[in-house]
């Protein structure tokens, strides 16, 4: 690529996984009054040959930046009773080695571009999806090429090493503790069933903590493949 990217692009790549892969059903609204939201006309969208959807929008701010998102339609609701907390653990493992980047190489690359881990490079896991986020300078095509390679690895090329899993186990457990054992967390956990419905009532947060402390890499690999996250 020889063109310089003078304007920011926002790219959201949605990994659309069929609900049957997860053994769950969709809860789409059936009301006749339901009207789908129309797509912003500024967004260019389509589907790649491998089935992955993409969305691209040009923005003037932030200046000289490209923001990318990999949106995986798989979150903690897809976990079985013996898998609680693993979706979040897989998210963390994405920064600890892949086919093209070893251990902390992804973080080191972003820091070399002037970006910061946490602010410009991050991810989160929710009930229904896992989202990987990154931002790079727009004036170097090589940065974009490498960032797209990182997205590819996040979608289908993660490596799982027991040593790295053991390092992340404590980090994820501590995030679990900070989210669930304070007052706001306990209130939220009590409110979810009433506000969001029956599936959220079935979440056993205490079992999640125990499973995170015991799970081995073979279990994570089996869960990763079972949930179809690697089917790109």
């Amino acid at each position: 690529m020889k063109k310089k990217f003078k304007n920011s692009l926002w790219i959201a790549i949605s990994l659309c996984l069929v609900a049957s892969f997860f053994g769950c059903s969709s809860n789409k609204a059936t009301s006749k009054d339901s009207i789908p939201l129309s797509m912003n006309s500024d967004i260019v969208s389509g589907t790649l040959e491998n089935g992955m959807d993409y969305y691209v929008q040009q923005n003037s701010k932030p200046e000289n930046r490209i923001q990318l998102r990999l949106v995986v339609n798989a979150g903690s609701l897809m976990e079985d009773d013996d898998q609680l907390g693993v979706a979040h653990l897989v998210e963390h493992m994405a920064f600890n080695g892949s086919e093209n980047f070893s251990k902390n190489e992804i973080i080191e690359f972003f820091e070399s571009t002037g970006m910061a881990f946490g602010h410009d490079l991050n991810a989160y896991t929710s009930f229904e999806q896992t989202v990987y986020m990154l931002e790079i300078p727009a004036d170097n095509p090589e940065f974009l090429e490498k960032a797209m390679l990182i997205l590819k690895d996040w979608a289908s090329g993660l490596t799982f090493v027991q040593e790295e899993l053991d390092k992340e186990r404590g980090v994820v457990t501590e995030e679990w503790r900070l989210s669930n054992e304070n007052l706001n967390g306990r209130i939220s956990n009590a409110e979810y069933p009433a506000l969001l419905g029956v599936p959220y009532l079935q979440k056993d947060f205490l079992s999640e903590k125990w499973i995170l402390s015991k799970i081995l890499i073979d279990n994570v690999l089996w869960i990763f493949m079972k949930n179809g996250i690697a089917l790109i």
Side-chain angles (χ1 to χ4, degrees), residues 43-64:
I43 296 176
V44 177
S45 63
T47 303
L48 301 178
E49 291 182 0
N50 61 6
M52 181 179 288
D53 294 334
Y54 66 87
Y55 304 87
V56 183
Q57 181 176 356
Q58 180 172 323
N59 292 298
S60 59
K61 292 184 178 180
E63 296 180 357
N64 192 37

Side-chain angles (χ1 to χ4, degrees), residues 92-227:
H92 276 246
M93 293 297 290
F95 298 92
N96 287 274
S98 64
E99 290 179 357
N100 294 287
F101 301 89
S102 61
K103 293 189 176 181
N104 294 323
E105 194 175 346
I106 290 178
I107 297 174
E108 292 170 357
F109 161 68
F110 276 96
E111 291 179 342
S112 73
T113 69
M115 301 291 97
F117 181 52
H119 183 271
D120 305 303
L121 174 66
N122 215 325
Y124 68 85
T125 302
S126 67
F127 284 115
E128 298 173 341
Q129 61 183 200
T130 304
V131 180
Y132 301 91
M133 308 172 289
L134 55 88
E135 182 174 318
I136 56 173
D139 55 3
N140 190 329
E142 292 182 3
F143 290 167
L144 179 59
E145 290 182 7
K146 201 159 188 177
M148 295 300 291
L149 182 60
I150 290 170
L151 291 183
K152 171 187 174 296
D153 275 10
W154 280 344
S156 62
L158 296 186
T159 56
F160 294 91
V161 179
Q162 185 65 51
E163 179 184 358
E164 297 300 318
L165 183 145
D166 291 336
K167 292 178 182 178
E168 287 302 319
R169 189 197 310 277
V171 177
V172 174
T173 302
E174 179 63 11
E175 288 187 5
W176 178 94
R177 188 187 68 80
L178 292 174
S179 298
N180 291 281
E181 292 188 345
N182 58 29
L183 178 60
N184 287 338
R186 295 197 301 272
I187 292 174
S188 296
N189 292 341
E191 289 177 338
Y192 285 146
L195 296 177
L196 303 176
V198 173
Y200 302 87
L201 179 62
Q202 299 171 351
K203 297 295 291 180
D204 185 344
F205 294 97
L206 291 177
S207 293
E208 178 178 331
K209 183 178 180 180
W210 184 87
I211 291 169
L212 284 173
S213 70
K214 301 293 183 182
I215 198 161
L216 300 176
I217 201 69
D218 289 343
N219 303 116
V220 175
L221 278 170
W222 181 81
I223 294 166
F224 184 74
M225 298 305 296
K226 176 189 175 185
N227 282 342

